[in-house]
Amino acid sequence: MKTVFFFGCLLFSTLVSCGQSIEGTWIMAKKDNKNSFLNMHVMQFTKDSLTHYDFKERFSATPYKINDNRIDVDTTSIGVFRFVDKNRFRLAPDRLADSIDFVRLLPTKTVLPKTAIEKMNFEIEYKGRTLTTNFGKTEQIKGPDTRLENINNTYFLSIYRNDRRLGSIPIKKVTDKQLVLYGFPEKPFEVSGEAISEK
């Protein structure tokens, strides 16, 4: 947990050094061999503090100091970073070989109410695997099920098993024909799903 905390702090210094604002809410684009839904770590930056959440549950808030393109937390310098674009940062931690991306949470673009989205099904393909959403139909599912959740105005496709959240991915846009997910670790960073008739 301390490692994730340090990563969040370092991200803040990158944004400031580049003259862009890091204030807002961010998630880690986790790299995983199977999928990118695992682990939902949320960070919220304000002008003078960094708060960590397990999805919506807050578990820490800490001040930070910025020195050039690094950040100090408890006198520890973490690593270097750069912008990929205005809503994504890439961190190269001192203690890890691989870089880590962080993605800004943005309001989901939709004219549909949450209740209408939950009545729809979408088929999403990622890394050769197909996921069919089943919002609001958990009683019919024996394995993992999907739920529509939100943090403020950002909707998420969340994966659950036995009432335990396995992970979440933010939804960029949803219409009556398409759902677009973002925050993936590899380009193009987005995945689209098409609406399908309920089986």
Side-chain angles (χ1 to χ4, degrees):
M1 189 61 66
K2 287 184 177 180
T3 300
V4 173
F5 168 76
F6 287 155
F7 289 166
C9 292
L10 181 59
L11 174 60
F12 180 88
S13 69
T14 302
L15 292 171
V16 173
S17 65
C18 294
Q20 300 190 38
S21 174
I22 194 175
E23 292 186 24
T25 307
W26 305 80
I27 60 168
M28 180 186 299
K30 179 177 173 59
K31 293 183 178 179
D32 183 86
N33 291 332
K34 295 181 180 180
N35 56 56
S36 295
F37 292 101
L38 300 179
N39 296 344
M40 185 59 193
H41 187 85
V42 179
M43 301 178 294
Q44 184 178 40
F45 291 90
T46 64
K47 184 177 180 180
D48 55 5
S49 68
L50 168 61
T51 304
H52 293 266
Y53 296 84
D54 178 5
F55 203 71
K56 293 183 179 181
E57 182 179 355
R58 171 176 166 170
F59 60 83
S60 73
T62 309
Y64 53 80
K65 292 183 179 180
I66 300 170
N67 292 309
D68 297 325
N69 63 335
R70 295 179 178 270
I71 191 165
D72 292 334
V73 178
D74 294 332
T75 69
T76 301
S77 181
I78 309 307
V80 297
F81 50 87
R82 66 178 180 85
F83 279 108
V84 176
D85 58 45
K86 65 179 181 179
N87 293 319
R88 177 180 286 256
F89 306 87
R90 183 158 297 153
L91 169 67
D94 290 339
R95 300 180 182 180
L96 294 177
D98 295 332
S99 61
I100 300 173
D101 282 11
F102 294 85
V103 181
R104 185 194 300 270
L105 292 184
L106 301 171
T108 299
K109 297 178 182 178
T110 187
V111 297
L112 302 173
K114 185 176 181 179
T115 52
I117 299 172
E118 289 178 323
K119 293 178 181 178
M120 303 174 66
N121 292 322
F122 295 90
E123 197 168 78
I124 303 160
E125 293 188 5
Y126 179 62
K127 288 190 174 181
R129 304 176 66 183
T130 301
L131 171 69
T132 301
T133 64
N134 46 37
F135 299 134
K137 306 178 181 65
T138 58
E139 71 281 357
Q140 304 174 17
I141 305 300
K142 295 182 179 180
D145 63 90
T146 60
R147 302 183 190 181
L148 185 66
E149 299 187 295
N150 68 286
I151 296 178
N152 299 323
N153 294 322
T154 305
Y155 284 130
F156 291 83
L157 170 60
S158 295
I159 309 296
Y160 276 77
R161 183 190 291 273
N162 298 326
D163 268 345
R164 177 176 176 269
R165 185 189 296 106
L166 301 180
S168 304
I169 194 76
I171 299 174
K172 179 179 181 179
K173 178 178 69 173
V174 57
T175 69
D176 59 354
K177 296 181 179 180
Q178 185 186 54
L179 177 146
V180 180
L181 303 173
Y182 69 102
F184 290 87
E186 302 94 1
K187 288 184 178 181
F189 304 139
E190 297 182 0
V191 174
S192 298
E194 301 301 319
I196 59 174
S197 299
E198 185 171 357
K199 298 179 180 180

